Amino acid sequence: MSIDYENIQQLIKNQYAARAGCHSIKETQETSIMCQYADAARDQLTKLGHCLGDENQSKADKQWKKCYKNK
């Protein structure tokens, strides 16, 4: 699945929405597509230099942000 968005904030919103829809009790074709989209959006965000929180944060506190690598 190819995700090509230039609007980072919209991509983040779409990734969260798709991930929420992916976590359904019942697996259907729709939930499978949502999971695939969420994964593709996550990969695209990573390629664009964003990461989901810091390593020491709890999963519930993590948010997408611009990542800066230590030199």
Side-chain angles (χ1 to χ4, degrees), residues 18 21-24 26-36:
C22 174
H23 293 293
S24 174
K26 183 178 178 185
E27 187 173 328
T28 64
Q29 183 177 2
E30 184 177 280
T31 58
S32 177
I33 290 169
M34 292 180 104
C35 292
Q36 290 173 16

Side-chain angles (χ1 to χ4, degrees), residues 34-60:
M34 292 180 104
C35 292
Q36 290 173 16
Y37 179 89
D39 291 344
R42 178 202 61 222
D43 292 346
Q44 184 64 23
L45 284 162
T46 301
K47 286 178 188 176
L48 293 171
H50 285 71
C51 57
L52 187 58
D54 296 315
E55 289 181 24
N56 59 346
Q57 286 183 301
S58 70
K59 190 174 182 178

